[in-house]
Amino acid sequence: MIITITMNPSVDITYLTNTFKLGQLNRTKTPTINIGGKGINAGRAAALSGSDVTLTGFIGGKIGDLTQILLEEEKLFNIQMNQVSGETRHAVTIMHDEGKHTEIVEEGPKLDGTNIQELLEKVLHISKEKPVNAICICGSANSTDAFLFPKMIQYLKDNLEVEIPILVDISGEKLTCLLKDSSVTPDFIKPNEHELGDFVGKTITTKKEALEALHHSCFDGIKFVIASLGEQGAVCRINDVYYDVRIPKIEIKSTTGSGDATVGGFAYALEQNFDTKQMLKYAMACGMSNAQHEESGKICREDVLAFTQFIEVTAI
Ligand code: ADP
């Protein structure tokens, strides 16, 4: 089983309109509504791959009730979200004027130490009931504790009865705090080129630059580091061996959630005990398949398997 932790899910509302005028009344057709949050998206990709997935994290208020209902309707996961005070957030995207999009993203309910402790206890409890192959901690949290993620990872590592790989997909200050200022080491991280660039303080656009960044000593000890570069594929550091992953060019619909699908695909591949090259191919193919869907985390397993045939992984 795979457990994902989503600290701050969202009800994602997307409006499609030809024109959008600030300060005026804009009328649109009914929006599409999806439940978002990096852990949920990763869970979707893993579940559509064939994993038994349990979603954990926080929902709150009436919007939290809606989140629960819409997740249940997907019939993909076991849902074990904790209740928190406040309302689960909305994230509104307005797609307008040929390719532009304007986003309004709420901050979501504030989390305190008790909320976090209850969540961690739940994860431990679930992992006692069934064998768990990966725990994915993905996305932001509305918490002022800069050390929240290192503390969570340390607590899980100290208290899990068996060793379970902890996959982490976070960014910005929280990633820096985890990798530079704490002694705890996650088993997997997946920065994209921007996140990696922010982390090492350089602009990264090429694989050569990404490869150089992956040699940073802060990545020492992390078994799986995937630096994803959108349509260029990825450069990875797996058990201190570096790999170039090349992907074919494909038609895309929306790359939102491709990174999350990559994480979910990787968790599935770990669960299946794939070898390194197979794992990387499967994870990349999930990101690609997601890019062919409007919904974040959505993949088509047949397409994923077909894409893996055309992905090349070479040690460099
Ligand atoms: P994030 O969503 O975290 O920014 P990326 O954009 O790097 O992550 O996407 C993750 C993976 O999804 C890529 O490594 C690739 O396999 C796939 N992907 C993303 N964008 C494209 C694209 N335009 N064409 C093909 N595959 C893509």
Side-chain angles (χ1 to χ4, degrees):
M1 190 217 285
I2 290 165
I3 298 178
T4 75
I5 301 179
T6 311
M7 313 286 275
N8 205 359
S10 54
V11 175
D12 296 344
I13 304 171
T14 306
Y15 292 104
L16 275 176
T17 166
N18 290 332
T19 55
F20 176 62
K21 296 183 208 86
L22 267 183
Q24 293 190 31
L25 172 66
N26 295 273
R27 291 189 191 278
T28 73
K29 295 204 168 117
T30 310
T32 57
I33 299 184
N34 289 299
I35 301 304
K38 282 171 164 288
I40 292 171
N41 297 339
R44 215 169 259 138
L48 289 166
S49 292
S51 292
D52 178 5
V53 173
T54 296
L55 301 181
T56 68
F58 299 101
I59 50 175
K62 297 253 181 302
I63 311 301
D65 295 344
L66 173 67
T67 303
Q68 174 85 22
I69 291 168
L70 294 180
L71 286 175
E72 279 168 7
E73 278 180 6
E74 291 188 49
K75 294 191 169 52
L76 284 178
F77 340 88
N78 312 308
I79 304 162
Q80 299 267 349
M81 305 294 279
N82 282 11
Q83 290 289 334
V84 67
S85 56
E87 291 286 337
T88 291
R89 62 188 175 146
H90 293 106
V92 179
T93 303
I94 305 160
M95 312 282 287
H96 58 98
D97 300 299
E98 283 152 20
K100 280 197 200 145
H101 65 272
T102 301
E103 290 179 59
I104 301 170
V105 179
E106 298 172 21
E107 65 178 6
K110 275 227 153 36
L111 302 175
D112 62 23
T114 312
N115 301 138
I116 304 298
Q117 194 56 36
E118 284 169 2
L119 168 73
L120 293 170
E121 294 308 329
K122 178 167 276 180
V123 172
L124 292 180
H125 178 75
I126 297 168
S127 66
K128 277 182 196 145
E129 289 186 328
K130 265 190 183 181
V132 174
N133 303 96
I135 298 174
C136 307
I137 305 177
C138 307
S140 64
N142 188 4
S143 156
T144 48
D145 183 355
F147 286 91
L148 174 69
F149 291 105
K151 284 183 195 161
M152 285 174 63
I153 298 164
Q154 189 67 60
Y155 188 83
L156 289 173
K157 287 196 178 263
D158 290 346
N159 290 284
L160 284 165
E161 284 176 355
V162 289
E163 210 175 298
I164 300 173
I166 300 183
L167 283 51
V168 180
D169 189 14
I170 57 174
S171 56
E173 220 181 304
K174 297 240 164 48
L175 179 66
T176 303
C177 209
L178 170 64
L179 299 186
K180 287 198 177 149
D181 303 325
S182 86
S183 55
V184 63
T185 311
D187 296 286
F188 166 104
I189 56 166
K190 195 221 63 68
N192 64 22
E193 67 223 81
H194 308 294
E195 292 158 351
L196 185 64
D198 287 348
F199 180 73
V200 295
K202 285 183 185 161
T203 305
I204 292 179
T205 51
T206 65
K207 284 187 163 175
K208 190 165 171 277
E209 290 160 345
L211 179 64
E212 198 182 301
L214 286 188
H215 282 79
H216 197 293
S217 61
C218 282
F219 300 121
D220 292 355
I222 306 177
K223 273 189 223 131
F224 309 109
V225 186
I226 297 187
S228 67
L229 290 101
E231 64 180 354
Q232 292 185 73
V235 180
C236 310
R237 177 175 170 175
I238 311 291
N239 291 313
D240 291 333
V241 179
Y242 295 84
Y243 294 90
D244 177 20
V245 189
R246 290 179 303 282
I247 62 171
K249 198 158 182 50
I250 51 164
E251 293 279 319
I252 59 161
K253 272 203 180 132
S254 161
T255 57
T256 308
S258 280
D260 309 337
T262 300
V263 176
F266 195 88
Y268 168 78
L270 262 184
E271 184 175 62
Q272 296 296 311
N273 273 321
F274 286 175
D275 66 29
T276 300
K277 288 190 178 181
Q278 269 183 303
M279 278 200 294
L280 294 176
K281 285 182 184 182
Y282 193 87
M284 286 288 102
C286 283
M288 292 171 66
S289 181
N290 177 83
Q292 296 196 314
H293 292 89
E294 294 289 353
E295 306 96 317
S296 298
K298 183 92 187 280
I299 57 149
C300 163
R301 191 169 148 78
E302 287 71 34
D303 292 346
V304 170
L305 295 176
F307 290 148
T308 58
Q309 310 293 316
F310 298 98
I311 297 174
E312 291 171 351
V313 181
T314 11
I316 42 177

